[in-house]
């Protein structure tokens, strides 16, 4: 996918709409899908999309032969700048920083053509291990299938360097994904497993919870950089995670909230409400019928899109 040809033809503007408005409606989902995977924050991704289209409106369409590639480059440049500044802020973040979850309605209509696992919450968490450039190269190649020459132009590197960056990032990603998620083994549906987990969690049922946990599960919580209401450090290992999930003191408030199963990042996960307001979210990653990863988010700003 080079910069010379655009695979998606630009639509003719409709009556009562400017050409730029028509282009925005046609391409905003695509632009957002790149920005969200690069930043992991909905509001920041939306800002990057808005800024890119405002720049496009100022410069005009003259000389742009591939609009999708132009937008991808504009989005990528903004996201790289954002990621560089975010890294320094997150170094002083109290506890663990997790990406902002995404409700299904926010994703692009083009998502049907994308692999669902590249939107999963576990995918986003693993991307946090990459440097900004590694993340951009990996996402542009792995998810959106740009060629190395196009990616080189977007990240200001040589095509050979981008190939090496992707190769290294891909190896590291696959090794981590294999170790932590174990692949998509056959087993009961996610909804059935989530119901089993909820029943065991609410009943403090040690036996039932033990049957669900893998040998080396990991629980990570994000409380918004505050020293209250959450677990500050990841808990790894069956014994420690089991103790947390069945403790009568830890996560007690979470049990008092009403839980429901909703689609989060393309998969069924758990949402918690307090007095009708969204107060928490828990994403579980399974191998077969065993829980490998638990991601708990109680940061209000990261839950605002759930209403």
């Amino acid at each position: 996918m080079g910069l010379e040809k655009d695979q998606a033809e630009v639509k003719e503007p409709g009556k009562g709409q400017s050409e730029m408005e028509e282009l925005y409606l046609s391409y905003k989902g695509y632009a957002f899908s790149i920005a969200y995977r690069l930043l992991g924050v909905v509001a920041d991704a939306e800002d990057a999309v808005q800024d890119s289209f405002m720049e496009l409106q100022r410069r005009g369409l003259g000389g742009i032969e591939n609009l999708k590639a132009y937008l991808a480059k504009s989005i990528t440049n903004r996201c790289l700048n954002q990621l560089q500044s975010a890294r320094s802020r997150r170094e002083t973040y109290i506890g663990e920083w997790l990406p902002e979850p995404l409700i299904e309605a926010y994703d692009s209509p083009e998502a049907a053509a994308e692999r669902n696992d590249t939107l999963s919450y576990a995918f986003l968490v693993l991307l946090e291990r990459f440097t900004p450039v590694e993340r951009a190269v990996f996402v542009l190649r792995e998810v959106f299938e740009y060629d190395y020459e196009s990616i080189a132009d977007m990240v200001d590197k040589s095509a050979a360097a981008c190939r090496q960056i992707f190769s290294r990032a891909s190896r590291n990603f696959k090794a981590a994904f294999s170790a932590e998620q174990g692949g998509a083994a056959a087993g009961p549906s996610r909804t059935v497993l989530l119901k089993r987990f909820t029943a065991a969690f609410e009943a403090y049922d040690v036996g039932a919870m033990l049957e669900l946990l893998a040998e080396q599960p990991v629980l990570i919580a994000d409380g918004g950089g505050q020293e209250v209401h959450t677990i500050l450090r990841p808990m790894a290992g069956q014994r420690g995670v089991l103790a947390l999930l069945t403790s009568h003191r830890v996560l007690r408030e979470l049990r008092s909230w009403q839980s429901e199963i909703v689609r989060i990042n393309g998969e069924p996960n758990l949402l918690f409400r307090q007095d009708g307001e969204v107060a928490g979210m828990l994403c579980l990653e399974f191998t077969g019928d065993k829980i490998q990863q638990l991601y708990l988010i109680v940061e209000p700003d990261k839950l605002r899109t759930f209403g």
Side-chain angles (χ1 to χ4, degrees):
M1 186 185 299
L3 298 178
E4 295 79 15
K5 294 186 295 182
D6 191 356
Q7 292 182 351
E9 293 184 1
V10 177
K11 300 177 182 178
E12 291 294 329
K15 292 183 179 179
Q17 278 189 319
S18 70
E19 183 178 22
M20 193 56 62
E21 288 173 336
E22 183 76 9
L23 293 176
Y24 177 75
L25 292 175
S26 298
Y27 288 99
K28 67 175 181 178
Y30 179 75
F32 177 82
S33 65
I34 295 176
Y36 174 69
R37 286 174 172 87
L38 291 183
L39 297 175
V41 180
V42 171
D44 290 348
E46 290 173 336
D47 287 345
V49 172
Q50 292 287 346
D51 290 346
S52 292
F53 275 96
M54 288 177 63
E55 179 191 11
L56 180 63
Q57 186 172 32
R58 287 193 297 267
R59 80 172 297 281
L61 299 174
I64 299 177
E65 297 180 351
N66 184 328
L67 185 58
K68 289 179 75 173
Y70 174 86
L71 286 172
K73 179 178 180 178
S74 179
I75 289 290
T76 298
N77 289 336
R78 283 172 168 75
C79 290
L80 284 174
N81 291 334
Q82 182 77 9
L83 286 170
Q84 294 287 2
S85 61
R87 284 172 70 86
S88 60
R89 294 198 305 272
R90 291 171 192 173
E91 288 176 357
T92 60
Y93 196 85
I94 298 174
E96 295 295 308
W97 189 94
L98 288 172
E100 181 178 345
L102 184 72
I103 56 175
E104 195 170 28
Y106 261 80
D107 202 25
S108 163
E110 295 176 325
E114 300 169 8
R115 300 202 329 267
N116 287 337
D117 60 347
T118 69
L119 185 63
S120 74
Y121 200 74
F123 182 88
L124 289 177
V125 172
L126 287 175
L127 287 179
E128 289 299 317
R129 301 182 181 186
F130 291 168
T131 67
V133 172
E134 287 175 336
R135 185 167 183 163
V137 170
F138 184 77
V139 167
L140 290 169
R141 179 66 176 171
E142 179 75 8
V143 182
F144 298 97
E145 299 183 341
Y146 279 96
D147 59 43
Y148 291 112
E149 288 73 19
S150 298
I151 297 172
D153 182 58
M154 295 176 194
V155 301
D156 196 25
K157 300 281 185 181
S158 69
C162 289
R163 187 184 297 273
Q164 291 178 346
I165 290 170
F166 176 77
S167 179
R168 181 175 62 251
S170 183
R171 287 196 304 270
N172 293 337
F173 186 91
K174 290 176 181 177
F177 193 88
S178 177
E180 296 184 8
Q181 270 63 28
S189 72
R190 286 184 61 89
T191 300
V192 170
L193 292 171
L194 289 169
K195 289 180 178 178
R196 286 176 55 191
F197 172 84
T198 302
F201 180 67
E202 293 178 349
Y204 303 91
D205 191 330
V206 175
M209 188 65 74
L210 187 59
E211 290 181 359
L212 284 168
L213 293 176
E215 291 184 4
Q216 292 295 323
V218 177
L219 189 156
I220 301 174
D222 182 348
Q226 305 298 317
E227 294 192 43
V228 293
H229 304 312
T230 192
I231 302 160
L232 293 181
R233 296 290 178 265
M235 176 60 72
Q238 191 180 81
R239 183 175 180 178
V241 173
L242 177 65
L244 286 176
L245 293 175
T246 57
S247 169
H248 284 261
R249 294 185 301 106
V250 184
L251 304 180
R252 181 174 57 185
E253 190 175 33
L254 194 65
R255 286 187 176 83
S256 69
W257 299 339
Q258 181 182 4
S259 65
E260 60 183 290
I261 297 175
V262 300
R263 290 192 70 84
I264 300 171
N265 285 76
E267 298 175 323
N269 281 296
L270 292 172
L271 192 71
F272 295 86
R273 295 183 185 273
Q274 181 183 31
D275 300 326
E277 299 294 327
V278 175
M281 185 213 75
L282 183 64
C283 281
L284 303 181
E285 292 300 319
F286 296 91
T287 296
D289 60 354
K290 300 297 183 182
I291 300 172
Q292 297 283 353
Q293 306 285 319
L294 304 94
Y295 304 111
L296 173 64
I297 298 169
V298 292
E299 155 66 291
D301 288 343
K302 293 180 180 177
L303 300 170
R304 66 185 182 280
T305 60
F306 289 84

